[in-house]
Each structure stands twice: as C-alpha cells, then as structure tokens.
Amino acid sequence: MTTIPLKLPFKINLSRPVNPTGIWDWITTTDHKKIGVLYGVTAFLMFITGGIEALLIRTQLAGPEMKIIAPEVYNQLFTMHATTMIFLGVMPLSAAFFNYIIPLQIGARDVAFPRLNAFSYWTFLFGALIMKSSWFLGGSPNAGWFGYAPITTTTFNAGHGIDFWVVGLQVLGVASLAASFNFIVTIINMRAPGMSFMRLPLFTWMTFITAILLVLAFPVITVALIELMLDRTFDFNFFNTSAGANPLLWQHLFWIFGHPEVYILILPAMGIVSEILPTFSKKPIFGYAAMVLAAAFIAFMGWLVWSHHMFTTGLGPIANSVFTITTMLIAVPTGVKMFNWIGTMWGGNIEFNTPTLFSVGFLSMFLIGGISGVMHSFSASDYQQQDTYFIVAHLHYVLFGGAIFGIFGGIYYWFPKITGRMYDEKMGKLNFWLMFIGQNLTFFPMHFIGMQGMPRRIFTYDANMGWAFWNGVETFSAYVIAFGVLFFMINMLKSWGNGPKAGDDPWDGRTLEWSISSPPPVYNFLDVPKVEALDDFWVKKQKGITKIKSKTKPKDIHLPQASYWPMLVALGLTIAAYGIIYNLVVCGLGIAMVLITVCAWSFEPVNEPDAH
Amino acid sequence: MKKIISLSIVFLLIVSCGKDLPMSTFDTYGPIAEEQAFIFSIIFWAGMVVLVAVEAAIIYVYFKYRRRKNSNRKAAQFHGNTKLEILWTILPVVFLAIVSVPALSAIWNFATMPENPAVVVNVKGHQYWFEFQYPDLHVVTANELHIPVGKQVLINLDSNNVLHSFWIPKIAGKTDIIPNQTNQMWIQADHTGLYYGQCAEFCGESHALMRFRVIVDTDEDFAAWIDHQKTEAYVPNDPLEKEGYTIFMSPKAGCGGCHMIHGSKKAKGRIGPNLTHVGSRQHLAAGIMENTQDNLRQWIKDPGKIKPGNIMASQGAVYMDPNKALTDSEVIALASYLQSLK
C-alpha cells in the first residue's frame, strides 16, 4: 500500500483501498457498471415500497366509507407513494441505465468523475433512507408530494414528517445534481473518436437532455425547500400567511421545477424505447434528427408551461390563455416522436419479444396519457378536472404506462448485457400482459370517476356518489399489476442465477455496448472504438467487419480506483440532514464531516504514482 | 344543444348520469358547467380521432410487420421521410389552433365577473368546513349555500388558514381558496334543487370530509330564507332544550367562545360555524351526515372520531379537559337545544 504525505500544517496519511473484496468492493467501487447495478437494485426495492404504499391506498378506496386505514396514515401514504415513485423509483432507475449504459454506448472506459458517481449513489441511498425512516420516527410527511404551503408550515403541521421530506429531498437533490453534472461532462468529453453528437445513440441523447433539465430544475426546488426549511427550523416568514405571505410563491417555485421534472421522468424512457424499436424492427430509427430536435424542444417548452398546474389558483385570463397555448404546443413535438416511432416499425421485420412488447405498450399507453394531457391543457374545462381522478388517470398513463413500461423494457433489453444471461421469455411476456391489463383496468376507469366528480387525495367517499363500482375494479386491478411485478422479480432472480448464456450480441444490436462481451469487462473496451457512422456497430456488421485483434493488454489499462471517501461524504450529509430535524449541533458535526471528508477526497493519492 | 353534445360523451363512456351521480361534471345545471362540458366534449372528440388513428396504426404495424417463423422477409432500410415529418408537425398545429378557439374564448367568459350580481357571497374556507357570508344581506351561515335560481352570483373566496378549493361540479368548475389572495368566480344555477359541493384542494387530515351543499331556491323561497336567517335565534321553553341552552352558554362548556348564536350575549364566537339557525340545516359537519338528533349527539359526543383533526375536537374545552367532558345527558340536552334552533 502506497502512502503519500501531504503538505498540510499537520501530517496525515491517506491511502486508497486496494483490490477490496466482498462488501468493501461494493462500498468503495468507482466502476460505473457496479454503481449502475447498485442504483438499479436500490431503486427497484424503493419502487416495491412505493408499490406497497399504492396497494394500501387502493385497499382503503376499494369500497365506500371503508375504515381500513386511518385518515392521517392515508395522507402519509399518498404523499410517500408519489415521493417514492418519482424521486426514489423512476429517477434512480433511469440513473441506473445512465450509469451502466452511457459509457458503453459512447465507447468510454468510465464516466468523467468516477468518485463523484459513487458519491451520487451513496447520497441517493442515504436520502432514500432518510425519507423512508420517517415511517419509523413518528410519521411520514402528510402534505402531498407537492407540499403546497401553508399546510407544510409549523402552524398547520407541527410534527417532524414534513422535516423529513424537506431535508430528504434536498439530499436527493444533491445526488441528482452530482450525477447530472457527471453525465453532461461524460457525454461531452468522453465520446470515442468519431462519435459526433449527431451519431450519439438516442438513449445517450435523452440522457444528455435529461441531465441538463435536472441541473436547471433542481436548484429551483432547492430554493423552495430551503425557504421552507428556514420557516420551519428558524421561524422565517416565506410562507407564513399570518405575516402576509402569499402561498402561491411555493406553487410557482414547485411547478417551475415540477414540470421539467415530468420530462426528467419520461425522456429516459423515450430514449430506451428509441433503442429497442430499431433493434427489433431491424431498421434504423425513423427521422433521427427530428427525434433529437423534438426532445430538445419538449425540454425547452417544459419551462414554459408550469402554470397549467395552477389554472384554478386565480392567475387571471391572460396567464391561463398563454399557458393553455404553450401546453398545447408540447403536443406537437411529442406527436412527432410518436409518429417517428411508428415510422421506425413501419416496413420492419419486428420481433415481438418482451422488450418490444413493453416499448409498444409504452407507445399506446403514453399516447392515451398525452391525449388526456391535451384535454386538460384547456384551462376553461380544466376547472372541472383539476384535482380529480381524471388527473390521476392522466399522470399514471404517462408515468406508469409510459416511464415504467419504458424502464421495464430497458431492463429486459439490457439484462443479457449486464448479467451475461438470458431472461425467461415466457415469463417476461406474462409479466407484460399482467401489467398491461392491470394498468388499463386500474387507471382507465379513473377517467370516468374523475369526470363523475371524485376529487383526488380523499381517504373516503360516500356510497351515494356512484363511484364505488369503478373503485372496486381499480383496487382489484392494482393487485393484478402487483402480480405482474412479482413475475418480473422471479424472472430476474432466476435468470440472473441460472439463465442460459446470452452471448455478446444476442439481439443483433446496433450500438457499441453490443460489441463487447457480456457482462462487459471492467475496462469496457480493450481499444477505444473508432466511430464512423450512426449505429456504427450495426453498419460495421453489415460490411462484414468483425472484431479486430487487439494488442492492448488489460493490465495496462488505467482504471479509476476504489475510494472510501464518496460514501463518507454522503454519510456526513446524512448526519447533517438528521441534525436539521433533531439537533443543530449534530447538523454542525455532519457539515464538519462533509468538509473534512471532501478535503481528504481532494488529496487522495493514486495508487500507481506513474499512472496519469 | 351543447348539453346534448356533452351528454353524448356520457353514453359513450358507458356512464349513467343524473341522480345516481350527484357530482357528475357532465350532468350540468348552470351555464358555466354546461360550457365546460361542451369544451371538454370538443377536445374529447378531437382526442378520440387522434387516439383511434394512432392506436390503429400501432395495431396495424403489429399484425403487418411482425416477424413470422419461416419468413425471409427483410426489413426495409430507410432513415426518414422529410415531407412526411413536416406534414405531421404542421397538421397537429393546425388541428390544435382550430380547437383552441372556443376554449380560449371561454376563459375570458368565466373570468369576466358580473357587474350587477343578484347576490354576493363571501366564502371562507376553514379546516374542514365552509362559511358563507352574504355581506349585503347581513347573513352568515355555514356549509349550506342558498342562491336564487337563474341569477348570477358573485363569489369571493378567502381563507385565513390553508388552501381549499370551491367546487360545485354540476354548476361550475373549481376555484382555489388562497390565504392573502381573494379569488373571485361567478356561478349561476338554472334549476332549483340540491347540489353537491366539495373542497378540491388537499387541506389536511379530514380534507375528504370537507363538503357542502348548494340549495337553489326560487326567488320567493330565497327571500324567505334570507328573512328567516336575519332573525334572532329561538330561545327555548322546553325544559330539555333549556338545559341544553344553559350548558351551551356556560363558561364550563365554553361553546360560545367559538360559535355565534345571534341574539345571545354569551355566544359571539367567530371561529366555528354560526349556529343561529343550525336546526334548519339539512346536514351536519360540512355535509357529511343528515341533521338528526342521533347524528348530532354523536357529533357533540366525539367530533374527532367523526372528523379527525377538526379544531373543535382538539381545542374545545370539553374535549381537551377530562374534568369538563360532557356527560351523556348533557349531550342529549345540547343536541335538543341545537335542533330547536330552526
């Protein structure tokens, strides 16, 4: 073990872990593939907890005037369900793909900042644990994932639930920001020679756009969260209505973040679908440039529509008209993407296996969510739909039928690459059909009961409202979805252990990740590939150019080394976060730990002094 | 005509209407809800055309271009079609521009407040009930809004606590109630009768139980109701009602600290609902149960059980202090007194 003395007023020795094994390997790893797996497994477990919360909600609503779950607990459940699915489920599941796939698709050996990548993961994990620990520490946040002021202020919400939400989201925000900067820098700087921007695979493009959105959106909610934290912890008056605050400030800040956030959730899934459809149609993507431009336009327009979440707050007819128009406009690039996906399949020779089914499921479900989205872009009639189950139907068609279907398709698609083994196709199809039928029977009737006047976020309803039948159907179908997910888990666990060997290129793939072995070696590419076209790997296969013998020896390849510090910095942040809730001295200690560990991180030596 | 068009959606969705669905947004009884259902029907049918066309294309692709066993068909290799792409960019723009015309004009229609409203009502959102003040008529009531039929009513919305939202699905879409910002809306009901309303913005533990009723009266009925509301509260003679009166006004129970009973010197509170004519209301506790002796007793006995998190249960002296807790006979007396306040 090499140690390098540092030029500090006091003398300390720092060393890096060398070839750690077992649990220490996972804790100190800076390998993007291992971090990707950690992200994926953690986020999936969180997705399961969010699903259990959803089932509890549906169970309470199965019939009118049910008393299975107490009102306060119900409010905590719907708050945590949304918070979990958005911040701990869909976003980190997308991040798992970013981590694992992006360096492989652009021909890189790792991300630009491997330790920062590890830090993102540990911060996400600890942020998730902060959020979820609230269930065991006196109750979870109970004001909805949108946390509209002033119900989140101490006047109306004295318990610690909201504090967990405020600090938990800030910690998760740090994780997302660090990861986003990392991927922006990686995609700009680490592309293989010849991989120009207009030769990037579409999933990489969507990741790039998503990361830019995140970097711009998260500061906005961080400002709102810090204001709320100051209110709650230090008696500031940002949202104190008795001191004259206008609580709409929160809504503006929240939705300026919140609407781009919707695209942060859906764009990665769109990227995944844009990989799967060409591969299994055996055709290039239809209108590559239009797909990129449409996504960029959607991302840009995402900043100009936030007030469509606030049509009923009395912003006046000018604002409502403007935001009606901007919201409708987003349908145009989204439509272009939809038509181009169908154009991609048109004339193809499409293999309808599990990833394709999930992708086509994505198209047909996201379409319904998109159309209902245009329906309530009309602010005049949205006065009737706002805060009803119609909106719940819409958002689940976008986020479940859309984002989750895309992500599930992506997991099946890249499973052979990640594990080197093939999943069980029959069980995969069963998983798809259960989820597809369950999704439609759960969320489609919500359109009906929404138009029949059922508001969101109510823990009970009267029998004479006429909503009982569809609610019963929805609850039953929610369990059908749960069974679908159960089959998914069985398939993954079974196939990861004993699935048949998949081979390097089981799908006759188009992008660089299929040109290397499955699972990929730690250094990814023996020689950094030279890219000459869009879908370079596919083009070369068509020309009959197969693997060239390399003279590079794996041991000569410099790779990022393991480090303790990313995890320790994240731990310091977590201690500081709990300190805000319980004791400011502890918070100070946590911040001190962050400062010390960040210094240690900065001065950490490389193990091989001759390495660059 | 508009109503027929919007009702056609209802049948399409295999959804019945009318009395079975007291909060259906399709079964409209006022010009605003009717226009909203009409606008929805425009975008609904437009959306249906797109939905059917695109889903049909997806299904066509599935059957036409799926890989079959023992087939040597090669996938066509093309990268796009600029003309087609321009077409399906421009077509939706034109489509949306056409359907947006009635939608945009309606926004201005709803936002233009009546210059001479027949009635002005100040609605105050509380956790978890609605207060209705008629400033020009000097009447204050709770949870049951009376309005005259066929007249424009101006509503001013305000809250001194959290956010709420005022919504009567069959008469008008919702407008949020926001502290420190008085929002306005106008409503009109074209048929007499009873309509359901509900708070539509999450407002805390019992948000689901924050409901109200709108009673649309003929002009004569409305005038009579207003005249009656202006009168002072009934002073009971019956011994049981009298006992209830004494308990209500006693410092021990302290009901008058929060509740107003017009004509009494001891009940001048403004925190809870005005109870001057509570016996004449059809429902209790913000429209969640019928106004009967039995329901009223249960409510007085343990309001926190019926409506968790409500302020009376957490701050009322008789509920906070076990020494002051109401006995069953006191509850019966109080219920009789309140029922007598017709």
Side-chain angles (χ1 to χ4, degrees):
Chain A
M1 196 177 287
T2 325
T3 56
I4 297 173
L6 295 166
K7 283 175 189 168
L8 287 172
F10 48 93
K11 211 174 169 183
I12 57 166
N13 289 326
L14 296 167
S15 61
R16 294 185 88 127
V18 177
N19 300 327
T21 50
I23 182 105
W24 284 106
D25 179 23
W26 289 98
I27 289 175
T28 61
T29 188
T30 52
D31 177 357
H32 73 95
K33 296 180 288 296
K34 283 185 181 152
I35 293 169
V37 170
L38 285 173
Y39 254 112
V41 171
T42 312
F44 187 79
L45 291 175
M46 289 297 155
F47 172 76
I48 296 297
T49 65
I52 292 168
E53 284 153 3
L55 289 179
L56 290 171
I57 291 170
R58 283 299 345 152
T59 307
Q60 163 69 12
L61 293 179
E65 293 157 72
M66 302 253 282
K67 290 200 162 58
I68 295 168
I69 288 162
E72 174 61 23
V73 178
Y74 182 90
N75 296 342
Q76 294 175 16
L77 280 171
F78 75 66
T79 303
M80 284 303 282
H81 166 66
T83 306
T84 302
M85 288 308 193
I86 290 166
F87 295 102
L88 314 179
V90 173
M91 279 175 77
L93 277 171
S94 303
F97 289 115
F98 300 169
N99 268 284
Y100 205 103
I101 304 300
I102 294 301
L104 301 182
Q105 281 199 332
I106 63 173
R109 294 221 161 97
D110 208 307
V111 294
F113 307 117
R115 288 181 297 175
L116 189 65
N117 204 22
F119 167 75
S120 295
Y121 168 71
W122 292 107
T123 310
F124 151 64
L125 173 70
F126 293 146
L129 293 177
I130 291 170
M131 215 43 121
K132 287 288 177 182
S133 68
S134 61
W135 281 118
F136 310 102
L137 295 169
S140 283
N142 58 0
W145 86 282
F146 48 94
Y148 276 4
I151 204 170
T152 48
T153 59
T154 43
T155 318
F156 302 104
N157 220 321
H160 276 314
I162 298 293
D163 294 319
F164 280 98
W165 186 75
V166 168
V167 297
L169 283 188
Q170 286 183 67
V171 171
L172 290 166
V174 171
S176 293
L177 281 173
S180 301
F181 281 118
N182 208 343
F183 282 101
I184 291 172
V185 176
T186 302
I187 293 171
I188 292 178
N189 290 306
M190 309 280 283
R191 284 169 290 135
M195 175 73 86
S196 64
F197 263 85
M198 290 315 268
R199 288 178 186 166
L200 282 181
L202 276 177
F203 177 67
T204 305
W205 252 117
M206 296 306 121
T207 304
F208 185 63
I209 292 171
T210 304
I212 290 171
L213 274 179
L214 257 164
V215 164
L216 297 172
F218 256 84
V220 186
I221 190 168
T222 306
V223 166
L225 289 168
I226 287 174
E227 288 179 353
L228 182 58
M229 186 173 79
L230 292 172
D231 273 15
R232 289 186 61 88
T233 313
F234 302 103
D235 293 329
F236 277 50
N237 287 322
F238 287 105
F239 304 111
N240 181 358
T241 46
S242 55
N246 186 330
L248 281 188
L249 170 66
W250 172 273
Q251 293 191 30
H252 282 293
L253 289 173
F254 186 82
W255 289 116
I256 289 174
F257 149 79
H259 202 83
E261 170 70 18
V262 175
Y263 300 122
I264 289 166
L265 298 170
I266 196 70
L267 284 173
M270 288 179 166
I272 292 169
V273 168
S274 305
E275 297 294 320
I276 293 175
L277 289 179
T279 302
F280 294 110
S281 304
K282 296 278 158 268
K283 278 185 65 204
I285 190 90
F286 187 98
Y288 173 86
M291 288 299 252
V292 173
L293 287 175
F297 189 65
I298 289 173
F300 176 74
M301 289 300 292
W303 296 95
L304 303 176
V305 297
W306 79 90
S307 283
H308 70 210
H309 298 270
M310 301 165 63
F311 278 151
T312 61
T313 58
L315 297 176
I318 295 175
N320 281 6
S321 304
V322 169
F323 283 98
T324 294
I325 293 167
T326 54
T327 306
M328 281 194 305
L329 273 181
I330 286 196
V332 176
T334 315
V336 168
K337 287 186 93 74
M338 184 63 69
F339 297 134
N340 281 9
W341 281 317
I342 295 172
T344 303
M345 293 191 289
W346 202 274
N349 188 15
I350 312 164
E351 184 181 354
F352 274 94
N353 54 11
T354 311
T356 318
L357 282 174
F358 271 106
S359 302
V360 175
F362 168 96
L363 298 193
S364 52
M365 296 297 98
F366 182 74
L367 176 70
I368 295 176
I371 289 174
S372 60
V374 178
M375 285 180 181
H376 44 249
S377 75
F378 281 34
S379 62
S381 53
D382 180 63
Y383 293 135
Q384 288 284 23
Q385 291 138 35
Q386 167 81 357
D387 276 316
T388 68
Y389 263 82
F390 191 88
I391 308 290
V392 182
H394 158 73
L395 75 91
H396 282 98
Y397 267 88
V398 174
L399 293 183
F400 191 85
I404 289 291
F405 273 33
I407 285 167
F408 270 59
I411 295 173
Y412 281 109
Y413 177 63
W414 279 302
F415 184 83
K417 177 53 60 188
I418 293 167
T419 63
R421 291 175 186 278
M422 192 51 84
Y423 61 84
D424 184 324
E425 190 68 60
K426 264 189 194 157
M427 215 186 271
K429 284 182 177 164
L430 181 66
N431 164 212
F432 168 75
W433 286 112
L434 282 174
M435 271 172 66
F436 185 79
I437 293 166
Q439 129 95 26
N440 280 294
L441 284 176
T442 306
F443 300 118
F444 206 83
M446 289 183 184
H447 293 112
F448 303 157
I449 56 170
M451 295 310 286
Q452 291 166 359
M454 181 162 170
R456 301 170 73 171
R457 303 171 186 128
I458 55 170
F459 67 85
T460 188
Y461 53 92
D462 272 5
N464 66 353
M465 288 292 140
W467 305 325
F469 173 73
W470 286 121
N471 269 293
V473 171
E474 287 160 14
T475 300
F476 172 80
S477 312
Y479 283 91
V480 175
I481 296 177
F483 269 98
V485 176
L486 189 68
F487 279 110
F488 170 83
M489 289 195 285
I490 295 169
N491 196 350
M492 291 296 120
L493 289 174
K494 208 186 80 172
S495 308
W496 203 330
N498 338 305
K501 290 259 187 281
D504 296 350
D505 187 15
W507 308 131
D508 192 11
R510 313 180 73 83
T511 40
L512 289 175
E513 72 267 30
W514 304 106
S515 69
I516 55 176
S517 63
S518 305
V522 65
Y523 47 80
N524 295 352
F525 299 91
L526 210 47
D527 293 303
V528 174
K530 287 197 172 51
V531 179
E532 282 149 11
L534 179 66
D535 293 338
D536 189 62
F537 180 52
W538 165 268
V539 172
K540 287 199 171 126
K541 278 191 291 188
Q542 297 301 303
K543 289 180 183 159
I545 304 169
T546 44
K547 276 175 191 168
I548 307 159
K549 261 226 149 132
S550 170
K551 286 176 187 164
T552 315
K553 293 196 183 86
K555 72 176 173 56
D556 296 333
I557 297 172
H558 170 67
L559 286 170
Q561 294 151 12
S563 172
Y564 299 112
W565 302 112
M567 195 275 278
L568 290 172
V569 178
L571 192 63
L573 264 181
T574 310
I575 293 169
Y578 275 108
I580 297 261
I581 302 174
Y582 290 111
N583 187 326
L584 291 177
V585 177
V586 175
C587 177
L589 291 175
I591 291 169
M593 179 170 171
V594 170
L595 292 175
I596 291 167
T597 47
V598 164
C599 289
W601 172 335
S602 313
F603 291 109
E604 193 173 36
V606 282
N607 279 350
E608 312 147 71
D610 55 327
H612 45 273
Chain B
M1 184 58 202
K2 281 180 178 177
K3 194 159 177 174
I4 293 165
I5 295 171
S6 11
L7 276 176
S8 64
I9 307 171
V10 178
F11 295 115
L12 189 99
L13 298 182
I14 325 164
V15 177
S16 62
C17 59
K19 288 201 167 60
D20 297 344
L21 292 167
M23 288 179 60
S24 172
T25 59
F26 292 128
D27 184 29
T28 57
Y29 290 89
I32 292 190
E34 193 175 315
E35 188 158 358
Q36 284 165 339
F38 174 66
I39 291 163
F40 181 79
S41 70
I42 296 174
I43 185 65
F44 173 84
W45 288 114
M48 276 306 118
V49 171
V50 178
L51 179 76
V52 170
V54 180
E55 297 285 5
I58 292 173
I59 292 166
Y60 176 79
V61 162
Y62 177 81
F63 284 107
K64 172 89 179 172
Y65 298 115
R66 65 183 307 184
R67 192 173 302 172
R68 292 168 205 280
K69 274 177 194 165
N70 311 320
S71 155
N72 295 324
R73 192 165 56 84
K74 281 258 158 40
Q77 299 295 315
F78 50 85
H79 287 267
N81 184 327
T82 312
K83 276 182 195 163
L84 210 56
E85 285 171 66
I86 290 171
L87 182 76
W88 63 46
T89 308
I90 290 176
L91 263 187
V93 176
V94 176
F95 195 66
L96 286 170
I98 294 168
V99 290
S100 65
V101 173
L104 291 176
S105 66
I107 295 173
W108 297 83
N109 182 15
F110 301 156
T112 312
M113 294 305 145
E115 279 175 26
N116 296 305
V119 183
V120 177
V121 184
N122 295 340
V123 174
K124 307 270 178 203
H126 296 270
Q127 281 176 313
Y128 306 94
W129 58 282
F130 288 92
E131 181 175 350
F132 300 122
Q133 304 171 350
Y134 297 72
D136 306 331
L137 304 168
H138 308 289
V139 164
V140 178
T141 183
N143 300 326
E144 283 180 13
L145 175 69
H146 284 253
I147 56 170
V149 68
K151 299 264 169 65
Q152 288 186 316
V153 176
L154 179 67
I155 309 267
N156 296 309
L157 301 157
D158 213 344
S159 160
N160 65 359
N161 46 86
V162 299
L163 305 175
H164 303 279
S165 193
F166 183 79
W167 185 32
I168 318 154
K170 293 195 175 189
I171 296 176
K174 57 194 76 65
T175 302
D176 292 355
I177 307 178
I178 295 164
N180 298 337
Q181 173 182 310
T182 305
N183 278 341
Q184 284 193 319
M185 68 188 286
W186 66 273
I187 60 174
Q188 179 180 325
D190 291 336
H191 301 269
T192 56
L194 181 81
Y195 299 92
Y196 283 68
Q198 184 153 359
C199 174
E201 183 64 81
F202 180 70
C203 61
E205 191 171 358
S206 278
H207 164 60
L209 301 177
M210 183 170 170
R211 304 172 196 161
F212 64 102
R213 299 288 189 281
V214 179
I215 295 152
V216 180
D217 294 323
T218 59
D219 282 353
E220 301 80 57
D221 287 350
F222 181 72
W225 180 79
I226 287 288
D227 284 344
H228 180 65
Q229 293 294 308
K230 282 181 178 171
T231 58
E232 291 193 348
Y234 168 77
V235 182
N237 292 319
D238 173 90
L240 187 62
E241 291 169 2
K242 240 180 172 165
E243 192 196 333
Y245 172 87
T246 314
I247 299 163
F248 191 95
M249 300 299 170
S250 70
K252 178 200 158 207
C255 307
C258 293
H259 293 288
M260 168 83 75
I261 295 202
H262 189 42
S264 151
K265 290 199 175 91
K266 286 177 180 162
K268 295 242 169 249
R270 289 174 175 278
I271 293 168
N274 183 316
L275 298 179
T276 309
H277 297 287
V278 67
S280 68
R281 294 182 203 147
Q282 298 177 29
H283 301 88
L284 288 174
I288 61 172
M289 51 193 185
E290 302 275 308
N291 188 0
T292 63
Q293 279 285 352
D294 198 39
N295 282 342
L296 192 50
R297 284 176 197 163
Q298 283 181 31
W299 172 253
I300 296 167
K301 183 76 189 166
D302 194 354
K305 190 179 166 196
I306 292 167
K307 191 179 264 192
N310 86 73
I311 290 170
M312 179 159 85
S314 62
Q315 293 179 11
V318 293
Y319 306 109
M320 288 167 74
D321 184 352
N323 296 325
K324 291 183 179 175
L326 297 167
T327 64
D328 284 348
S329 61
E330 286 173 322
V331 168
I332 291 168
L334 271 171
S336 305
Y337 167 58
L338 291 172
Q339 283 264 308
S340 76
L341 296 174
K342 297 290 183 193

